[in-house]
Amino acid sequence: MDKNSVPDFSTPMSKPTEVINKLIAAFRTESTAIETKGKGSVIDLQLANGEPRVILVLEGALNIYRTADNLRFVRAAAPNLFGMQGSPFRYSLYQFRSEKGAVLESLPYSRAMELVGERRLFKEVLDFQTYLSDFLAYRTNLLISKSTYQIVCAFLFELEMMPPEQRLRTSVFNYIHEHTHLARSGVMKILSDLRQGEYIDIENGKLIAILKKFPRDY
């Protein structure tokens, strides 16, 4: 490892919680509860008649998996919104699964857009869509044409940004593997080397802290 330089990892804008809450408040005037069957329940972004709908994540989280290979794209914690694009193609690429205890509501996409117009929430929609677009670009940039080392370091940064109570329940290897499908041997060697170099503190497979800047090269 080159100890004199650090990797350049760009991260997307922070989640616009205030904007999301404002949109949710408007949509909840007409949304209805979604019944789930517990952890892993698949949440369809279409109503029974085929009409697209907007999903409100009020408590807990949805896990979003890429349909093609079951790769976990992201854990989307409350408050959050899905279905705002109204694009069947986009959402056919992913599967949405609720976590145990998640509280979800929905309303038809057409009515959600009417509420946006009635309440003049166009800027809020644009700000939220910008955030989603940036996050998608970040994930694409992270996983394409990057070395295993760069990907592992980026996901360690993600883990560090989690609330401590969530991070300390999360296996470092499982988190990286679910989001990347990288080989266990390669990931474990990098984690071992970073730990031996005192770059990270891991106990019982959980990330305690990143102790110093990672080297650029491995």
Side-chain angles (χ1 to χ4, degrees):
M1 291 185 180
D2 177 1
K3 298 181 180 180
N4 298 316
S5 57
V6 296
D8 177 22
F9 296 117
S10 297
T11 55
M13 63 184 285
S14 300
K15 185 167 95 171
T17 302
E18 185 176 346
V19 164
I20 294 170
N21 281 331
K22 192 170 183 179
L23 290 167
I24 285 176
F27 296 156
R28 289 202 75 191
T29 60
E30 299 196 25
S31 61
T32 57
I34 297 175
E35 292 187 12
T36 63
K37 299 177 182 178
K39 182 178 179 181
S41 294
V42 175
I43 306 301
D44 199 334
L45 268 74
Q46 288 186 323
L47 296 165
N49 63 5
E51 182 181 1
R53 65 176 177 172
V54 173
I55 306 297
L56 318 181
V57 185
L58 305 178
E59 296 179 21
L62 289 181
N63 285 297
I64 304 174
Y65 291 81
R66 198 162 62 188
T67 304
D69 55 6
N70 203 39
L71 181 144
R72 184 163 74 153
F73 187 71
V74 69
R75 178 184 184 271
N80 233 313
L81 290 165
F82 294 97
M84 293 287 290
Q85 287 83 3
S87 167
F89 169 74
R90 177 183 289 270
Y91 289 108
S92 70
L93 301 177
Y94 302 99
Q95 186 179 78
F96 297 76
R97 306 177 197 167
S98 67
E99 288 192 353
K100 183 178 180 180
V103 177
L104 311 173
E105 294 183 0
S106 77
L107 74 163
Y109 170 79
S110 58
R111 184 55 188 148
M113 293 302 100
E114 288 174 355
L115 288 168
V116 167
E118 291 169 7
R119 302 190 178 215
R120 299 184 180 277
L121 295 170
F122 302 108
K123 183 181 184 302
E124 285 75 10
V125 170
L126 180 59
D127 288 346
F128 181 59
Q129 299 288 34
T130 298
Y131 163 70
L132 291 181
S133 179
D134 280 0
F135 190 86
L136 179 61
Y138 160 72
R139 269 287 191 264
T140 301
N141 180 61
L142 171 59
L143 296 174
I144 295 178
S145 299
K146 293 295 189 294
S147 69
T148 299
Y149 170 68
Q150 290 173 312
I151 293 172
V152 167
C153 289
F155 279 103
L156 285 169
F157 282 134
E158 283 195 9
L159 281 164
E160 186 187 39
M161 289 188 289
M162 282 184 181
E165 63 276 10
Q166 180 186 347
R167 186 180 71 248
L168 295 177
R169 296 195 305 266
T170 303
S171 160
V172 174
F173 171 75
N174 288 345
Y175 185 80
I176 294 171
H177 181 68
E178 286 181 354
H179 287 85
T180 65
H181 290 181
L182 291 171
R184 178 181 181 87
S185 57
V187 172
M188 295 304 290
K189 184 177 189 311
I190 291 168
L191 292 176
S192 176
D193 289 343
L194 289 172
R195 189 176 183 184
Q196 289 182 16
E198 298 184 346
Y199 291 97
I200 56 177
D201 182 9
I202 290 181
E203 294 182 11
N204 299 318
K206 314 300 192 297
L207 180 68
I208 305 302
I210 293 177
L211 303 175
K212 56 185 178 182
K213 292 180 178 179
F214 296 141
R216 180 179 297 276
D217 299 317
Y218 177 72

